[in-house]
Amino acid sequence: MNGLGFVWREAVAGLRRNVTMSVAMMLTTAISLGMLGAGLLAVRTIDRTQDLYYSQLAVQVALDEPTSAGDPDCGSPVCSGLREQLQADPLVAGVTYESRDAAYQRFLRIYAGQSILQLVRPQSLPATLRVTLKDPTRGDALVAEYAQRPGVRNVVDQRRLVEDLFTFLGSVRNAAFGLASVQALAALLLISNTIQVSAFTRRTEVGIMRLVGATRWYTQVPFLIEAVITGVVGAVLATGGLVLGKLFFIDRLLSGRLISNAIPAVGMSDVLLFVAPLLIVIGAVIAAATGYVTLRLYVRS
């Protein structure tokens, strides 16, 4: 017990001796882990957004003007024939018909209170066969097969409409991971340098301890504890930064009507229960590994 107390006191004393470098190391680690946490949140948001959209997206087979104008229930040979062909297609999970009037009523509900309603009339919207796929990524095959069929105005794969959104979210994720990698390198170098300085300032007392029989591990553990404390504190600061970012930036960004309906909200549980534990573990492990390698390479005696 006395040995553990001594090791802990030495670790704390080491942080106090090099307080400026210790603070710099904690802040650099916090920035690095904060960027990593932002990337993890972006990945989680992308996965949720894809699940949300893929569960709702469909291939829309828009019918030509004669069929849209004269077929309210898909009873004509052209419409019913298309529906039967689609239902028999092995790629298709289900087919739903939406008449021109039903499409216009849905348009009114979606854009209620907006000026665009003055520009659209029922005749502007075609009747459609809404096709859900067993595999949402196979929409291209359906587009190619049915785009030129009689009675078809056009075929739209809705997945293509949201690809720009997924590309944007992917860019945010990649940028966060890229910045995190640069900051991580800076944090590793700073941790290594701080441990070397700390070991140099205590070289005399460490040498005396070795002369009286202390093991190498016993003399080096305080330095590792210093590194781990730095990593954990950096992770806590990074988590605090992510919480503030969620409250004052992400929530406001996603509060708009258009964006809030397009991207799932980032919950506080995502930050505190998903990202924070990972950052603490990663911060502690990386700091300990860096400290160990540094001691093995530079503190041999």
Side-chain angles (χ1 to χ4, degrees):
M1 196 69 176
N2 291 333
L4 292 177
F6 171 79
V7 168
W8 177 256
R9 287 194 301 272
E10 284 296 302
V12 174
L15 291 173
R16 288 177 178 174
R17 287 191 189 100
N18 304 291
V19 62
T20 303
M21 294 191 67
S22 297
V23 171
M25 186 164 56
M26 292 175 186
L27 293 177
T28 305
T29 303
I31 294 173
S32 174
L33 293 177
M35 292 295 180
L36 176 62
L40 293 174
L41 287 176
V43 170
R44 195 169 179 84
T45 300
I46 290 172
D47 290 342
R48 286 180 173 176
T49 304
Q50 288 179 332
D51 291 342
L52 173 66
Y53 277 93
Y54 283 170
S55 65
Q56 298 180 2
L57 293 181
V59 174
Q60 289 190 331
V61 180
L63 303 179
D64 60 13
E65 177 59 26
T67 305
S68 297
D71 194 351
D73 56 3
C74 198
S76 67
V78 172
C79 184
S80 60
L82 277 173
R83 182 164 60 181
E84 291 173 0
Q85 293 172 13
L86 288 166
Q87 289 173 336
D89 195 301
L91 297 176
V92 174
V95 181
T96 304
Y97 178 71
E98 183 178 58
S99 67
R100 167 173 282 174
D101 289 339
Y104 184 66
Q105 293 302 318
R106 181 167 61 88
F107 182 85
L108 294 178
R109 289 195 303 271
I110 293 175
Y111 295 99
Q114 300 188 36
S115 59
I116 192 175
L117 294 179
Q118 301 176 7
L119 305 176
V120 178
R121 296 291 180 266
Q123 294 77 14
S124 306
L125 303 175
T128 59
L129 290 168
R130 181 180 174 85
V131 183
T132 54
L133 301 179
K134 297 176 182 178
D135 182 358
T137 64
R138 297 292 306 278
D140 288 344
L142 210 67
V143 171
E145 183 175 353
Y146 288 90
Q148 303 301 322
R149 295 289 181 92
V152 175
R153 175 180 175 181
N154 59 40
V155 182
V156 178
D157 181 4
Q158 292 181 333
R159 186 173 64 93
R160 295 297 180 190
L161 303 179
V162 298
E163 280 189 344
D164 289 343
L165 173 63
F166 292 150
T167 300
F168 168 74
L169 293 176
S171 299
V172 173
R173 174 200 59 200
N174 295 336
F177 283 151
L179 291 174
S181 300
V182 175
Q183 288 291 335
L185 178 60
L188 294 179
L189 294 175
L190 193 55
I191 291 172
S192 177
N193 188 58
T194 302
I195 290 176
Q196 291 180 61
V197 172
S198 181
F200 182 79
T201 58
R202 284 185 277 174
R203 65 190 183 282
T204 302
E205 57 191 86
V206 170
I208 294 174
M209 292 173 63
R210 292 294 302 278
L211 288 174
V212 298
T215 64
R216 174 171 301 201
W217 268 108
Y218 190 76
T219 59
Q220 292 183 354
V221 164
F223 302 110
L224 295 179
I225 293 178
E226 288 180 37
V228 171
I229 290 175
T230 298
V232 171
V233 172
V236 172
L237 293 175
T239 300
L242 291 174
V243 169
L244 294 176
K246 172 196 159 23
L247 294 176
F248 296 104
F249 177 71
I250 296 178
D251 287 352
R252 293 181 181 180
L253 178 65
L254 299 181
S255 62
R257 180 174 179 180
L258 179 60
I259 298 181
S260 63
N261 293 329
I263 302 176
V266 176
M268 190 62 73
S269 60
D270 295 326
V271 179
L272 298 180
L273 301 181
F274 172 68
V275 173
L278 290 176
L279 295 185
I280 291 174
V281 172
I282 292 172
V285 170
I286 290 179
T290 303
Y292 176 77
V293 172
T294 300
L295 291 171
R296 294 291 295 178
L297 293 177
Y298 298 105
V299 187
R300 297 180 180 276
S301 60

